Amino acid sequence: MAERMQICNLSENNFEQCTKCSICTTVCPVAAVTTDYPGPKQAGPDGERYRLKDPAYFDKALKLCLNCKRCEVACPSGVHIADIIQHARMSASAGHHASLRDTMLANTDLLGTMANLVAPVANATLGLKPTKLVMDSVMAIDKHRTFPAYSRQKFTTWFKRHAAKQQDAFPNHVSYFHGCYVNYNFPKLGQDLVKLMNAIGYGVHLLEKEQCCGVALIANGLYKQAKRQARTNAASIRKAVNMDHRTVLTTSSSCTFNLRDEYPAVLKVDTTDVRDGISLATRFIYNLVDEEKVKLVFKQDYKRRIAYHTACHMQRMGWQLYSIELMRMIPSLDLQVLEQNCCGISGTYGFKKENYERSQAIGSILFKDISDAQVEAVATDCETCKWQIEMSTGLPVENPISILADALDLDATRKANGID
Amino acid sequence: MRMDTVIMGGGLSGLACGISLAKRGKRVAIVASGQSTLLFNGGSMELLGHVNGKAVTNPLEAIATLPESHPYSKIGADRIASLAERIKLLFSDSGIEMTGSADANHWRVTPMGVAKPAWLTLNDHLRIDDLNNLPAKRLALMCIRGYFDQPNAMLAQGLRDLGFEVDMIEFTTDDITALRRSPSEMRATSLAKHLVSNNALRRLADQVNSLAGDTDMVLLPSVFGQSDSSDYQALQAMAKKPVRLVSTLPPSVAGMRMMTQLRHYFRMLGGTYLMGDTAVSGTFEGDRLTSITTAKLADMPLKADNFVLATGSFISRGLRADYERVYEPVLGVDVDADADREQWTHFGVLQPQAYFGYGVATDGNLHCLKQGKPIQNLYAIGSVLSGHDAIKMGDGTGVSLMTAIAAADHIRESK
Ligand SMILES: Cc1cc2nc3c(=O)[nH]c(=O)nc-3n(C[C@H](O)[C@H](O)[C@H](O)COP(=O)(O)OP(=O)(O)OC[C@H]3O[C@@H](n4cnc5c(N)ncnc54)[C@H](O)[C@@H]3O)c2cc1C
Ligand code: SF4
Ligand code: SF4
C-alpha cells in the first residue's frame, strides 16, 4: 500500500521530487552571468507551480535558458528541470509565430541547401562586413559571429558518387544519421567516419530518408515543424534498426540526444523502442574494441597535444568516457580532459544579437581553461561548440572521429580486421 | 571497460580515495551522481568533536578510547596521526589551504553563531584557536542587505556569547542590489558568481572600508570564490582590516570550492570523473566483485581489480530505508541497522537518532560484507559506513578522509 502510494505520486518530469535545495541554480551557466535569468529552480519547478494554477503565467526570462541540461545532471532528486522549462516555453509559444531570423537560423537544412548551391558566393557574402552589418541590424544576428563555411558539395552527394557502391561488400553494416552540419558544412567528418568504419569491416549506409533532427527548431519554438521532421526520422530509423538490423550511428552529440531523448520527452514522438539502436559513433566503436570484436592500429608518430571539451548534451548522456577512452588509445596523443563548463553557444542561441554578450561570458571560463591547457587543438563531439570555441580561442576544433581517422594506420587496421 | 579501481560516489571520500590512487598512476574512475554533502560544509574538517556529549580537545587521545566498531578503530588509532599529515598534504596539493592539527582541536563558528570543535579550517574562514584568547576584540559583522541565508541576529548573539564585541553593519553594493531581482535565488553560491570581477570586489571593499569603523576584524558571509580563494585574496588586498569569512546556510560556497578543487586535481592526475551517472548494480563471482553497471553506460559494465563504495548516507542515497528494512541499494551488501523499525528513530528532532549510526558493515580492513562474508576487492568508505555519527560526534569528514586513504593503502597493498 505504502509503496503504491509512492508510485502513484510520481508527477510528470519528477516535478514533485524537488526539495528546493537550489543545487541546480549553482550550476546554471546562464544564472551565473546574468540577473535577468532567475535560474533553473525558479524557472523550472517553482515557476511550474504558478503555471499549473494559471496557464497564462509565463516568464519571458525562460527564453534565456540554453537547454544545456546541466541543472538536470546536478539535481540530486532527479527532477527533469530543463524539460519542465521546455514544456513551459512550448505551451507559451502556441499561437505565436517565430521571427524570420529564428526561422532562418532554425532551418539548418533549408539554409544549407540554398547555401550549398552557391557556396563560394554564400561564404564570401556571409563573411563580408556589409552583409554582417545588415544581418546584425535587420536580422539581429550578431556581427561578431562567423557563419560556418558551406561546403561546395554535400556529404550525401559525395557519398552517392564515391562511396555508396562499395558499402555492401563489407561483412557488417551500420546506418549513418549524418545531420545537417556534416551534410552542408563539413562533409569531411562524414567521410572520416566512412573511412574508419570501412577499415574495421563495417559498411556505412544512409537512412531511407533523413531530415534535420530539429534541435534548432525546438530551441527556436518551431515545434510543429520539429514534430513533423521527428516523425520522418523516427520512421527511417525504425526501418534501419528493425528491418535492416543496423545500428544508426551519429557523429553529433546534440543530434544523438535529440533523437534518443528529446523526441519522446519534448516532442512526444516516441523513439523509445529504437533508442538502443541509436548510438554516437565513438560509443559504438569503443564497445566493439572493448568486446574485442575489432582492432584499431594507430600510427606511432601521431604526436599531438589536444584538449577534450565535454559538450553539454554529451555530459547529459554521460557518454564522454567513450570518446575520451578511444582517443586515449592513440599512443602518442597527449589528451587533456577539461573541466565540464558550457561554451555558451548552445546551438543557435549565441548567434542572436541579444544573446551574444551573455554567450561569450558563459564561455569565458572554458576559454581560459583551454588557453591554460596549451594545446594545439580541441576535441569535442558537438558542432556548435566547435564554432564557438574556434571563434573564441582561435584554435582548431575537431571531432574525435576525425582525430581517430587521422591517427589510424589504415592499412594495418584493415589487415588486423581481415579486410582487403 | 577495465580500470584499476572504480569508485562509486564522488563526494569527499570518493575524491580523496581517487586522488590517492591516481597519484600513484592507477587508472581510476569515479561514478558520481549529483552533488555531495560537501555542499553543506562550512569550510572545516572535523576529526572528532564530541565524545559522550563532551567537547574533545585532543582528538588523537580521544580516538584511542573509541569502541572497536568505530571506523577509526578499524584503521588503527595509532595510524591516525600519520594519515592526518597525508590528508593535509592532499589538500594543499589540490590547492586547498587549511590550518589545524590532529592533536589540538580549534573552533569553527556555525552560521547560527555556535562554536564547534574542528580539525582543519580554510585559511580565509574564521578560526578560533583558543576561546580564552580570541583573534580579535571587536568585530564588524557585515550583513548583506536582502541576503537571508545568514541569520545575523543569532550569529551576532553567538559571537557576543563567545566574548567578542560585535558591530552589526548592514550594507549593499550595486552588484548585490542587482541580484535582488530574483530574491528567492539570492543564495551564497549566486553571490559568489557575481562577486568576481575586480570592479565588484572593489565596490565591496570600499563599502567595508568606509563602514567598519574602529573594529579590529571584518566578518563577511562566505560568498567568495567558487573555484579557488583568489576572489577572497583580492578582497583582502583591498580591505584595510583583516577579513574573515563565516559560513552561511547551504548551499555552501566553501564546500563548492573544495569540491571543484578536488575534482580538478583528480582530473589533472588523469582520473575519470563520470558526473551525473549512477552505479546501479554489480556482478559478484565468489568473494569478489567483478564489475558494476551504471545508469548511463548501461551496455558497458565497468570492470576493475578493486571497487570502493563511497555513496554516502541516507541523504545521498547510499543507504535506503523502506517500510521494512534499511539496505544498501547498489550492491545489496550487509548493513548494520536495527531490524525493528521502532528502534530507528526516537521522538524529538534534536534527540540522538539511532539511524545516524547505521551503515554498511565491514571487516577490520574495510571490506564490505555480503551475507556475512567479506568481499575481497570491495571497500566501503565515508558516510556509508556504520559505527560513527557525524552529527553527535563531529567525526563525519574525518571518517570520510581517513577511511578513504586507508582503503587506498589496502588497494595498493593488495595483489
Ligand atoms: C546536512 C549535513 C551537514 C553536515 N555537516 C558536517 C559538518 O559540519 N562537519 C563534518 O565534519 N561533517 C558534516 N557532515 C558530514 C559530512 O558531510 C560527511 O561526513 C562527508 O562529507 C561525507 O562524504 P562522503 O563522500 O562519504 O559522502 P557524501 O558527501 O554523501 O557523497 C556521496 C556521493 O555519492 C553519490 N552517490 C550515491 N549513490 C550513488 C550511486 N549509486 N552511484 C554513484 N554515486 C552515488 C552521491 O550523489 C554523493 O555525491 C554533514 C552531513 C550532512 C548531511
Ligand atoms: S536541484 Fe533538484 S531538488 Fe534541488 S532545487 Fe533544483 S530541482 Fe529542486
Ligand atoms: S538547461 Fe542549462 S541554462 Fe537552462 S536552466 Fe538548466 S542549467 Fe540553466
Side-chain angles (χ1 to χ4, degrees):
Chain A
M1 162 65 188
E3 287 288 304
R4 272 190 55 78
M5 237 165 67
Q6 286 175 349
I7 291 166
C8 294
N9 258 334
L10 279 183
S11 53
E12 197 170 3
N13 292 320
N14 271 353
F15 150 65
E16 280 178 17
Q17 297 290 314
C18 173
T19 59
K20 309 297 166 206
C21 68
S22 282
I23 283 175
C24 50
T25 300
T26 68
V27 300
C28 173
V30 181
V33 298
T34 174
T35 53
D36 293 343
Y37 187 58
K41 170 169 160 282
Q42 179 71 31
D46 284 6
E48 192 68 6
R49 290 180 189 277
Y50 295 106
R51 294 189 289 264
L52 284 175
K53 271 190 172 166
D54 177 6
Y57 178 91
F58 176 76
D59 189 344
K60 283 218 172 57
L62 299 199
K63 285 206 174 123
L64 299 184
C65 168
L66 298 168
N67 198 21
C68 71
K69 310 275 180 195
R70 285 182 186 260
C71 48
E72 290 185 2
V73 174
C75 173
S77 310
V79 181
H80 299 175
I81 311 158
D83 287 351
I84 295 178
I85 298 173
Q86 289 307 306
H87 277 291
R89 282 166 55 161
M90 209 166 178
S91 2
S93 81
H96 292 270
H97 289 288
S99 70
L100 171 63
R101 188 255 340 244
D102 289 4
T103 309
M104 177 182 136
L105 281 175
N107 275 283
T108 42
D109 47 358
L110 184 70
L111 196 63
T113 312
M114 290 180 345
N116 273 136
L117 295 174
V118 288
V121 184
N123 289 338
T125 324
L126 289 170
L128 281 181
K129 236 190 183 154
T131 318
K132 284 188 161 195
L133 285 176
V134 170
M135 291 208 299
D136 187 277
S137 57
V138 180
M139 305 283 284
I141 291 171
D142 196 274
K143 62 176 176 292
H144 297 91
R145 291 282 166 207
T146 319
F147 264 85
Y150 286 97
S151 160
R152 214 183 263 247
Q153 189 184 45
K154 286 195 294 187
F155 169 72
T156 45
T157 313
W158 170 85
F159 184 84
K160 283 172 194 153
R161 281 192 199 151
H162 302 287
K165 268 197 239 88
Q166 296 91 294
Q167 301 305 317
D168 284 334
F170 290 95
N172 307 298
H173 299 278
V174 288
S175 291
Y176 180 35
F177 185 97
H178 47 72
C180 303
Y181 167 70
V182 163
N183 205 24
Y184 302 110
N185 303 110
F186 202 64
K188 178 177 178 293
L189 174 53
Q191 292 159 1
D192 286 340
L193 181 78
V194 174
K195 184 161 97 177
L196 185 63
M197 294 310 293
N198 287 174
I200 55 174
Y202 277 77
V204 178
H205 306 268
L206 301 184
L207 289 173
E208 192 175 72
K209 192 154 194 259
E210 173 180 329
Q211 290 194 321
C212 165
C213 77
V215 70
L217 295 170
I218 299 176
N220 287 289
L222 294 152
Y223 301 108
K224 264 201 204 124
Q225 192 188 344
K227 233 178 181 157
R228 261 199 319 271
Q229 298 186 188
R231 284 202 201 100
T232 305
N233 288 332
S236 297
I237 291 170
R238 207 160 271 134
K239 175 169 183 298
V241 174
N242 292 340
M243 317 258 295
D244 306 331
H245 306 290
R246 291 173 188 159
T247 301
V248 177
L249 298 191
T250 53
T251 41
S252 150
S253 48
S254 289
C255 294
T256 317
F257 180 64
N258 207 32
L259 297 172
R260 285 170 48 103
D261 296 309
E262 301 278 78
Y263 275 15
V266 178
L267 295 178
K268 307 286 175 212
V269 173
D270 194 7
T271 46
T272 41
D273 58 322
V274 285
R275 189 169 181 267
D276 289 343
I278 307 169
S279 179
L280 198 67
T282 52
R283 171 170 174 261
F284 185 79
I285 299 168
Y286 182 88
N287 282 337
L288 289 178
V289 177
D290 195 45
E291 291 160 14
E292 297 180 4
K293 288 183 182 152
V294 305
K295 288 197 185 68
L296 300 177
V297 186
F298 292 102
K299 299 171 186 156
Q300 287 302 319
D301 56 351
Y302 192 77
K303 279 206 178 38
R304 296 180 78 194
R305 185 174 158 93
I306 292 181
Y308 179 76
H309 161 63
T310 308
C312 292
H313 290 162
M314 196 69 176
Q315 177 182 313
R316 177 68 177 77
M317 293 190 291
W319 286 0
Q320 59 273 34
L321 190 64
Y322 298 112
S323 295
I324 294 171
E325 290 300 316
L326 261 185
M327 286 188 285
R328 282 197 174 142
M329 291 175 191
I330 305 172
S332 40
L333 179 74
D334 177 1
L335 189 73
Q336 304 288 311
V337 178
L338 299 164
E339 277 288 308
Q340 296 177 355
N341 286 305
C342 178
C343 76
I345 185 95
S346 194
T348 55
Y349 182 96
F351 275 87
K352 300 177 186 174
K353 193 172 169 179
E354 68 272 22
N355 294 338
Y356 178 77
E357 268 180 36
R358 195 164 37 245
S359 165
Q360 295 312 105
I362 291 170
S364 61
I365 308 172
L366 175 70
F367 308 148
K368 183 174 178 299
D369 274 3
I370 291 175
S371 88
D372 289 351
Q374 306 211 318
V375 289
E376 64 197 80
V378 178
T380 191
D381 299 273
C382 169
E383 59 275 9
T384 57
C385 296
K386 171 181 157 83
W387 305 335
Q388 170 78 335
I389 297 170
E390 286 184 340
M391 184 198 89
S392 310
T393 67
L395 288 173
V397 178
E398 299 165 35
N399 187 292
I401 289 294
S402 292
I403 293 174
L404 288 162
D406 271 1
L408 213 58
D409 181 333
L410 282 176
D411 288 337
T413 302
R414 269 189 225 112
K415 212 177 267 161
N417 294 288
I419 309 295
D420 30 51
Chain B
M1 182 168 297
R2 176 162 277 286
M3 293 280 163
D4 293 327
T5 301
V6 169
I7 299 173
M8 294 157 264
L12 181 64
S13 59
L15 276 164
C17 186
I19 287 173
S20 192
L21 290 165
K23 210 168 168 182
R24 290 182 172 80
K26 296 281 176 211
R27 262 168 65 84
V28 187
I30 297 181
V31 186
S33 61
Q35 293 288 346
S36 79
T37 59
L38 267 188
L39 257 79
F40 299 108
N41 186 287
S44 295
M45 298 293 143
E46 301 172 350
L47 194 49
L48 188 59
H50 287 88
V51 173
N52 300 326
K54 278 186 35 201
V56 168
T57 49
N58 182 336
L60 287 182
E61 275 176 9
I63 283 170
T65 69
L66 292 175
E68 232 172 75
S69 55
H70 194 283
Y72 289 153
S73 307
K74 293 191 176 177
I75 297 170
D78 51 329
R79 286 186 62 207
I80 299 291
S82 71
L83 290 180
E85 288 309 309
R86 284 167 60 193
I87 289 163
K88 276 170 95 165
L89 203 64
L90 185 149
F91 278 124
S92 63
D93 286 347
S94 313
I96 301 172
E97 298 130 19
M98 299 188 114
T99 301
S101 70
D103 57 7
N105 270 335
H106 58 254
W107 302 86
R108 68 180 175 100
V109 178
T110 70
M112 306 294 180
V114 180
K116 290 223 167 152
W119 162 37
L120 300 169
T121 292
L122 288 174
N123 288 352
D124 51 9
H125 280 58
L126 178 63
R127 185 186 77 239
I128 305 171
D129 290 329
D130 180 353
L131 286 175
N132 297 315
N133 184 14
L134 297 174
K137 195 159 170 282
R138 188 160 159 207
L139 298 174
L141 177 62
M142 305 297 299
C143 312
I144 297 177
R145 188 172 304 149
Y147 175 57
F148 301 121
D149 282 347
Q150 186 172 42
N152 293 309
M154 271 167 103
L155 176 58
Q157 190 53 50
L159 291 166
R160 288 188 187 117
D161 291 346
L162 290 172
F164 291 103
E165 289 170 32
V166 181
D167 292 13
M168 274 174 76
I169 303 167
E170 196 188 52
F171 82 104
T172 189
T173 66
D174 290 350
D175 312 276
I176 295 172
T177 310
L179 268 175
R180 293 184 68 184
R181 286 176 59 183
S182 8
S184 65
E185 298 306 313
M186 191 154 163
R187 316 298 296 265
T189 44
S190 321
L191 283 162
K193 281 187 175 148
H194 291 273
L195 296 174
V196 287
S197 73
N198 264 332
N199 289 337
L201 291 168
R202 158 61 57 202
R203 285 188 278 271
L204 199 134
D206 287 347
Q207 282 288 306
V208 169
N209 287 338
S210 77
L211 294 170
D214 288 339
T215 55
D216 316 313
M217 184 184 268
V218 171
L219 291 190
L220 275 162
S222 175
V223 298
F224 302 93
Q226 280 216 81
S227 47
D228 57 37
S229 62
S230 59
D231 296 333
Y232 163 82
Q233 278 155 12
L235 179 69
Q236 177 66 83
M238 292 185 258
K240 297 202 178 100
K241 295 186 199 282
V243 175
R244 292 291 177 274
L245 307 178
V246 262
S247 56
T248 66
L249 295 180
S252 134
V253 172
M256 193 99 171
R257 184 203 293 178
M258 291 191 275
M259 191 76 192
T260 307
Q261 287 174 302
L262 291 170
R263 209 170 48 215
H264 183 73
Y265 186 47
F266 176 65
R267 281 221 181 92
M268 269 186 32
L269 294 170
T272 302
Y273 193 88
L274 298 170
M275 175 124 85
D277 203 355
T278 304
V280 288
S281 63
T283 307
F284 290 89
E285 255 172 43
D287 61 357
R288 297 182 75 79
L289 177 61
T290 53
S291 67
I292 62 153
T293 305
T294 75
K296 289 183 177 164
L297 307 175
D299 56 358
M300 186 186 66
L302 292 173
K303 298 175 212 137
D305 298 334
N306 289 284
F307 294 86
V308 179
L309 188 69
T311 45
S313 188
F314 295 98
I315 191 171
S316 294
R317 304 187 180 214
L319 298 172
R320 300 301 290 263
D322 60 19
Y323 293 84
E324 274 101 41
R325 66 199 175 114
V326 172
Y327 61 100
E328 187 286 306
V330 183
L331 304 169
V333 292
D334 299 352
V335 294
D336 291 321
D338 292 301
D340 175 10
R341 186 166 177 230
E342 292 294 307
Q343 304 299 315
W344 296 358
T345 52
H346 298 288
F347 186 75
V349 191
L350 299 178
Q351 294 304 308
Q353 301 291 342
Y355 76 87
F356 285 171
Y358 295 171
V360 162
T362 53
D363 70 3
N365 289 327
L366 301 173
H367 291 118
C368 294
L369 307 179
K370 200 164 162 72
Q371 280 136 16
K373 293 211 184 64
I375 304 299
Q376 296 303 333
N377 63 341
L378 172 63
Y379 300 84
I381 61 174
S383 293
V384 76
L385 283 169
S386 69
H388 70 115
D389 187 336
I391 311 267
K392 204 171 71 188
M393 301 173 74
D395 58 2
T397 35
V399 164
S400 291
L401 291 161
M402 293 287 164
T403 54
I405 310 294
D409 285 353
H410 285 309
I411 288 172
R412 278 194 301 124
E413 287 151 15
S414 71
K415 249 278 108 258

